[in-house]
């Protein structure tokens, strides 16, 4: 059996199950999110593998390169990484991708899906090593780095592979067309439908979720036959470098040119993303990062399809609740997780000035804010537990904003941020959230909360009423975009108004979350991440539209 | 039963059958292409309905308007049309579309599909009236205007509706997500997936195929919940005005605001397409027409998804044939049909200088060219039959090119164009094709044939070899784009090379057509029109990619 046929057989069941999951949208994953499912020695083995990479030159056999290397990473936990990556000229990467394209394009969609699933399976087996790499580049705490950077990211990759396979299988490979001609013989043609890739794809990774945000585009492009150049964020290279290395190993074993997947590590300030984005060979770009560069890509990379996830302002509307404690705990965790460095973390909490109804009686605006502050303090009271939730701060701009909040720059503090010493990593930059009290209609306040304030600064916005809050939600999503919207209400009328506001402005809504699901988390195979219907992103993980245009179909017809 | 439920029931079977047809790609249509299937009196009734429109003001009850009217059409058959259309300001059209949007967006995909199918059914019933409208705006002969402007266009509309329905039905309307939590209670959420339209769509129609090229975008946008402003070509308003009127009638009867579909008739030189294209409310544009304006739209209409079909240079490679007579007859018809005014008509016929092998022995380049000229002359020898195939010339630029060819401007003539008097319409502008002999590598010749020469001017290009011809095909498609490629060969090796060239450059290929199917014709539910993989078009009729991004999905999740 040829290696690729073996892979097809090995992964057929997973692919089939994934397709079912995408239609059903119930919970499913082939990649366990529980750390111990990977074996008793796995955490230590992963740590050892990670440690062995520190201070070395990262090797990518057969990869284009100038001979130079570059190292641009700094762990938010303060440890020395010192990993140097091979540097290649943009033209060399694109030439290698072009040369690798033909065989990969000629492989069947089933073969490409199987290769992708083997890559994901091998990445999955190394989830603990990946967790270390993600932790020490993004600042995520280990448990989160393991889950979000490991199995959850793999889920999103598999999801893209399954969609890609389904879209490519939509037309039959061959059809017979028989058109009756009355008493004469019918016209009969044989028609072949061949999917062809669009061209070289580029994935531009982000600092906070290099794998989770990188895998959908990587695997969607790969599964549809496009070679992919992976351009990691200079501060989060390792997770994608490991991914690229594993992908190249699997490709080579399956008989393909490993340059189907390459790594564009760059020297500081080299601006490789811009160079790649404007190159005529580059036909697909997946990007996660700032609104400014995302907008630039959408406007300037005219020769490419551009899929962006940028930034937005996420809003919670608090109208009423039947589980006050559950609501506070849910929000406290959502606002603490990874120090608010998620594109999905709520930023503005809109609370009617007159207060809200709860199962514990009416609560005034001040009470809700104070109780939320207390819930956060309670959650993060123990330093060890706090660091396991907060992780570390990913970049200096977030630290600056935290300091500015502490200095009262954004408004009165209901909760002041706190500097925490990490018990294991003395160099780690750990901060607790700041909760700022602001007024919905005060211009100074609006200038702060009506713009993305990435990191652990949250605004408790006093509104005139729930209606006023929903209006503000509408305005915020329309003007600034949003990845998430959240609501708490026991009123069917308010729920209806919230749903209408979110449908009209195009943002996904989480209602009355009080348990173990948080507004900033989405589950692959069930939840959509983003909508592509507001300014925060022009696409979503993952739907047919994310995949269907990464390939085209060429028809060849001839008399039967 | 509410009107819309009645429509759903009435059209369910057709929709289901269409979905099956799209997967099978065998011959199917619900709209007979045989004129007499519409009843004995239908042609005369259609003519009477058309005649009743001449010299009148076209009414669109409830349509936005300034009170002014405009008439910009001139029949290529020389008859006076004199139909005036109501004029509306762009802002009034977009305001009306925005006001109509909410109810249409809130309708279910099934309801929208049913309304679209009712519109198509009513258009279908009036196919003979539409044939007159298409004939006297495009210049197509009646039989073609009936088929291509009637049932075949309706097929392409239904195809788009079926795809739109399927894509919107991909996610369940509601799902339950149950995540096990070991010994604790599982997490259970209810998730609603709601499709939301992208926004107002604009269809920019063309002069030659206002319905066939207009319906895919119109119905794809409509079926996905977007209001549509139809901007017809100033010389081909009536077919789309009739379409808009029927659509508005059905919408109103089904309880929707008829302004879901409006008509943007314009005064001469008003440039409404540009104004619409740059308006922030316009989120989808479908365009058929010149490369220049299509490229402008792709570059400048940044706020919109832009689907374009532009121009290309279509090539035939003639290597060898087992049916010389069949090949000549097929090509003669393909080059004569509608005087070459189809975006799919072959322009360049690449023939090895040393000649080709045929079932009638070897034929030199000169013999092939002379025999093709004779085949065309034979086909068009009788004026009445000739006009029934050729139709009339749609615009002065085509007439000028025909005259230039007649004057030898493009090269030596193997077949000189002829002016034909139409037996029924003395004012009709009817021309037969010109066949020009050129050399593949002569710079002067290349400057002529390596650019689109829209209309009945064809180039018999002498190449060094078949390999040279295939290389030239590759170069032509890569540099200029193409809607079709055609090949004749009995050699498996040449066939393989042709297929590879077409897959690499992204153009659909018709091989060895010698019977009643022609390279310039595609059948809905089976053939793709265009690929979106070369410069001639950025999309195809119809695949999932043409539809899947016209709507987005908003998820609402809550504890179960």
């Amino acid at each position: 059996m040829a290696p690729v046929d073996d892979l097809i057989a090995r992964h057929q069941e997973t692919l089939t199950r994934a397709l079912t999951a995408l239609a059903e949208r119930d919970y499913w994953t082939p990649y366990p999110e529980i750390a111990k499912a990977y074996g008793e020695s796995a955490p230590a083995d992963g740590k050892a593998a990670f440690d062995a990479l520190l201070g070395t030159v990262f090797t990518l056999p057969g990869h284009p390169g100038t001979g130079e290397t570059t190292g641009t990473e700094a762990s938010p936990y303060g440890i020395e990484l010192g990993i140097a990556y091979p540097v290649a000229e943009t033209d060399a990467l694109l030439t290698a991708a072009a040369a690798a394209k033909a065989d990969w394009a000629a492989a069947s969609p089933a073969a490409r899906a199987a290769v992708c699933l083997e890559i994901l399976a091998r990445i999955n087996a190394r989830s603990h090593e990946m967790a270390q790499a993600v932790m020490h580049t993004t600042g995520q705490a280990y448990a989160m780095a393991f889950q979000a950077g490991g199995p959850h990211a793999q889920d999103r990759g598999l999801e893209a592979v399954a969609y890609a396979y389904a879209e490519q299988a939509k037309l039959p490979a061959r059809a017979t067309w028989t058109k009756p001609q009355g008493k004469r013989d019918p016209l009969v043609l044989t028609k072949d439908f061949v999917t062809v890739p669009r061209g070289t794809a580029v994935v531009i990774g982000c600092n906070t979720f290099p794998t989770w945000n990188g895998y959908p585009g990587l695997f969607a492009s790969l599964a549809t036959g496009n070679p992919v150049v992976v351009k990691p964020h200079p501060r989060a290279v390792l997770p994608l470098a490991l991914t690229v290395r594993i992908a190249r190993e699997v490709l080579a074993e399956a008989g393909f040119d490993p340059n189907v997947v390459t790594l564009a590590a760059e020297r500081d300030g080299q601006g490789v993303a811009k160079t790649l984005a404007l190159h005529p060979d580059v036909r697909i770009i997946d990007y996660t990062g700032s609104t400014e560069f995302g907008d630039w890509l959408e406007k300037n990379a005219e020769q490419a399809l551009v899929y962006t996830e940028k930034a937005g302002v996420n809003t919670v509307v608090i109208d009423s609740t039947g589980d006050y404690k559950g609501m506070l705990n849910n929000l406290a965790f959502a606002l603490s997780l990874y120090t608010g460095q998620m594109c999905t973390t709520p930023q503005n909490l809109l609370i009617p000035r007159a207060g809200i109804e709860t199962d514990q009686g009416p609560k005034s605006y001040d009470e809700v804010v104070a109780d939320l502050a207390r819930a956060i303090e309670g959650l993060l009271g123990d330093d060890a537990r706090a660091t396991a939730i907060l992780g570390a701060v990913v970049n200096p701009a977030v630290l600056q904003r935290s300091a500015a909040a502490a200095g009262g720059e954004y408004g009165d503090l209901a909760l002041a941020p706190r500097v925490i010493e990490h018990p294991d990593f003395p160099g780690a930059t750990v901060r607790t959230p700041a909760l700022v009290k602001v007024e919905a209609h005060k211009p100074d306040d609006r200038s702060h909360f009506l713009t993305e304030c990435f990191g652990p600064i949250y605004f408790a916005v006093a509104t005139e009423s729930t209606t006023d809050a929903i209006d503000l939600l509408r305005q915020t999503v329309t003007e600034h975009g949003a990845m998430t919207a959240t609501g708490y209400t026991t009123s069917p009328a308010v729920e209806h108004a919230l749903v209408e506001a979110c449908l009209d402005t195009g943002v996904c809504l989480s209602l009355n979350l009080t348990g173990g699901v948080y507004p900033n988390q989405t589950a692959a195979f069930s939840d959509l991440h983003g909508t592509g219907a507001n300014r925060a992103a022009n696409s979503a993980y993952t739907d047919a539209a994310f995949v269907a245009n990464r390939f085209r179909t060429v028809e060849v017809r001839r008399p039967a």
Side-chain angles (χ1 to χ4, degrees), chain A:
Chain A
M1 199 184 257
V4 78
D5 292 328
D6 182 52
L7 291 180
I8 292 173
R10 193 183 310 166
H11 296 294
Q12 185 58 54
E13 198 182 320
T14 306
L15 181 61
T16 305
R17 184 65 187 85
L19 289 165
T20 304
L22 287 176
E24 291 180 345
R25 299 267 150 190
D26 196 355
Y27 172 77
W28 178 73
T29 177
Y31 309 123
E33 69 176 12
I34 298 168
K36 63 185 173 195
Y38 294 78
E40 207 158 316
S41 69
D45 293 348
K47 174 77 162 55
F50 170 73
D51 286 344
L53 293 166
L54 301 178
T56 66
V57 172
F58 193 89
T59 55
L60 289 169
H63 194 278
T66 60
E68 289 174 87
T69 61
T70 181
T72 48
E73 293 163 310
S75 170
Y77 290 92
I79 69 167
E80 189 72 40
L81 295 175
I83 308 172
Y85 301 91
V87 170
E89 295 298 331
T90 302
D91 281 345
L93 291 170
L94 294 176
T95 303
K101 184 183 149 189
D103 285 352
W104 186 240
S108 70
R112 288 195 295 256
V115 168
C116 288
L117 264 68
E118 178 65 17
I119 296 169
L120 285 165
R122 293 202 198 172
I123 292 172
N124 177 250
R126 291 165 67 173
S127 291
H128 279 284
E129 179 184 357
M130 189 63 82
Q132 295 285 346
V134 169
M135 175 180 176
H136 284 290
T137 50
T138 70
Q140 291 175 27
Y142 186 79
M144 181 176 181
F146 175 81
Q147 290 195 337
H152 294 174
Q154 296 147 22
D155 283 340
R156 286 287 181 199
L158 174 55
E159 192 179 55
V161 173
Y163 264 114
Y165 178 78
E167 290 303 313
Q168 291 174 96
K170 205 167 237 171
L171 292 184
R174 172 164 286 190
T176 302
W177 178 83
T178 306
K179 183 175 179 180
Q181 297 291 292
K183 288 173 188 161
R184 286 173 294 149
D185 285 344
L187 300 171
V188 188
L189 295 182
T190 299
K191 301 180 177 185
D192 293 341
F193 299 95
V194 187
T195 59
V196 297
R198 188 167 277 275
T200 299
V202 171
V203 173
I204 303 174
C206 68
N207 195 173
T208 47
F209 291 92
T211 56
W212 198 95
N213 278 102
Y215 286 0
L218 167 62
F219 284 99
S221 285
L222 210 49
T224 48
N226 306 283
V228 182
V229 177
V230 177
K231 209 301 286 172
H233 191 283
R235 279 198 299 266
V237 183
L238 185 58
L240 290 176
L242 285 169
T243 302
V244 167
R245 183 151 80 185
I246 293 168
R248 294 170 59 84
E249 285 165 7
V250 174
L251 283 161
E253 287 174 32
F256 297 100
D257 184 336
N259 287 331
V260 167
V261 179
T262 55
L263 184 76
E266 61 180 325
R267 293 178 295 274
D268 261 334
Q270 205 181 339
V272 162
K274 277 201 177 186
T275 310
L276 283 167
L278 299 178
H279 197 288
D281 275 8
V282 172
R283 307 302 309 280
I284 302 172
I285 297 171
D286 284 272
Y287 168 76
T288 314
S290 74
T291 298
E292 189 188 355
F293 192 57
D295 288 346
W296 183 90
L297 286 170
E298 289 175 21
K299 190 174 167 61
N300 292 285
E302 290 173 15
Q303 83 293 351
L305 292 180
V306 179
Y307 302 89
T308 58
E309 186 194 311
K310 300 171 288 188
V313 176
N314 302 319
T315 298
V316 186
V317 172
I318 302 178
D319 167 72
S320 52
T321 177
D323 180 2
Y324 187 57
K325 195 173 160 224
M327 177 185 85
L328 294 173
N329 288 343
N330 190 283
L331 286 173
F333 188 85
L335 304 183
S336 300
L337 184 65
Y338 188 26
T339 322
Q341 299 169 116
M342 299 173 74
C343 58
T344 50
T345 305
Q347 172 181 304
N348 296 336
L349 301 103
L350 314 189
I351 306 163
R353 183 188 312 284
I356 66 170
E357 294 297 325
T358 81
D359 57 321
Q360 297 179 24
K363 300 285 178 185
S364 69
Y365 165 84
D366 282 330
E367 283 173 313
V368 174
V369 176
D371 289 342
L372 178 59
R374 246 190 307 274
I376 296 171
E377 280 179 322
L379 180 69
L380 306 177
D382 172 73
D383 279 2
R385 187 165 80 161
T387 55
I389 297 169
L390 292 166
V393 169
V394 72
N395 74 42
V398 175
L399 285 180
Q400 280 162 22
R401 278 190 287 272
S402 176
E409 202 172 292
Y410 298 113
D412 289 345
L413 289 172
L415 179 66
R418 193 160 68 84
V419 176
I420 291 186
E421 287 290 320
H422 198 292
D424 304 322
F425 297 100
T429 46
V430 185
R431 300 291 182 273
T432 67
L435 187 57
V436 185
K437 292 170 80 164
V438 293
E439 298 281 334
H441 299 284
K442 213 167 128 184
D444 275 6
D445 288 352
R446 288 171 76 90
S447 73
H448 292 309
F449 74 79
L450 278 182
T451 168
E452 196 207 20
C453 190
F454 190 73
I457 295 97
Y458 306 106
F459 297 93
V461 184
T463 66
E464 297 308 312
S465 61
T466 295
T467 304
D468 184 36
I470 296 174
D471 288 347
L472 186 52
L473 165 66
R474 278 184 184 266
Q475 186 194 353
T476 306
V477 180
T478 303
E479 293 178 3
H480 306 281
M483 293 301 294
T484 61
T486 308
Y488 289 92
T489 184
T490 57
S491 153
V494 170
E495 178 169 330
H496 179 78
L498 273 169
V499 170
E500 288 300 303
C502 290
L503 294 181
D504 287 352
T505 57
V507 62
C508 288
L509 173 65
S510 294
L511 275 167
N512 298 323
L513 295 185
T514 54
V517 179
Y518 303 95
N520 30 354
Q521 292 178 322
T522 63
F525 305 105
S526 185
D527 293 316
L528 295 169
H529 173 72
T531 63
N534 70 62
R535 289 176 183 217
N538 75 0
S539 49
Y541 304 154
T542 291
D543 58 14
F546 187 68
V547 170
N549 213 6
R550 292 176 194 253
F551 68 94
R552 306 300 309 160
T553 305
V554 171
E555 179 186 340
V556 178
R557 60 181 185 173
R558 45 171 84 77

